[in-house]
Amino acid sequence: QPLPPGDWNAPEVRYRVQWRPLEPALGRWREDTVGAPPVVVGDTPTFNPYEIRVQAVNEAGKGPEPSVIIGYSGEDLPLVYPENVGVEILNSTSVRVRWSFEVNSQELRG
């Protein structure tokens, strides 16, 4: 979430976003500095864990050292699609969606 303006302490807040594969031996920290979320990172393998740090930066300097969180790269498009999709209206704000699909091991992404 972006910082509220009352927490900026100086103009022009930006966000230093760093990421690397969870296993440090697999890669170095990469980074991008952006004015607001989101940050989209390409060329990553499907659904792999990453260490991620986000630090606020402005004209007065860097914010506190960020903690590391674990996030995952995105999932890929499915190789099979659901069949027998059905929707049941439960009330004015809820629905139940059901589906089925058959999949064999060649259709799973690893």
Side-chain angles (χ1 to χ4, degrees), residues 2 17 32-41:
V17 180
D32 194 5
T33 301
V34 297
V39 174
V40 177
V41 177

Side-chain angles (χ1 to χ4, degrees), residues 35-108:
V39 174
V40 177
V41 177
D43 276 340
T44 61
T46 303
F47 204 65
N48 278 6
Y50 281 79
E51 292 181 304
I52 302 168
R53 304 188 287 205
V54 179
Q55 184 177 38
V57 179
N58 61 24
E59 293 175 355
K62 296 178 183 175
E65 193 63 32
S67 348
V68 173
I69 63 162
I70 304 299
Y72 288 82
S73 56
E75 296 183 29
D76 209 339
L77 294 173
L79 294 172
V80 294
Y81 296 93
E83 300 171 346
N84 306 314
V85 176
V87 176
E88 177 185 357
I89 298 172
L90 300 176
N91 58 43
S92 64
T93 61
S94 298
V95 297
R96 177 179 292 137
V97 179
R98 296 177 191 223
W99 65 89
S100 65
F101 62 93
E102 291 185 30
V103 62
N104 62 49
S105 61
Q106 286 77 31
E107 296 171 323
L108 294 177

Side-chain angles (χ1 to χ4, degrees), residues 1-23:
Q1 293 294 326
L3 284 174
D7 292 341
W8 287 12
N9 298 323
E12 297 188 35
V13 166
R14 296 176 311 283
Y15 301 93
R16 179 180 177 219
V17 180
Q18 297 177 297
W19 65 94
R20 71 177 175 188
L22 182 59
E23 297 295 325

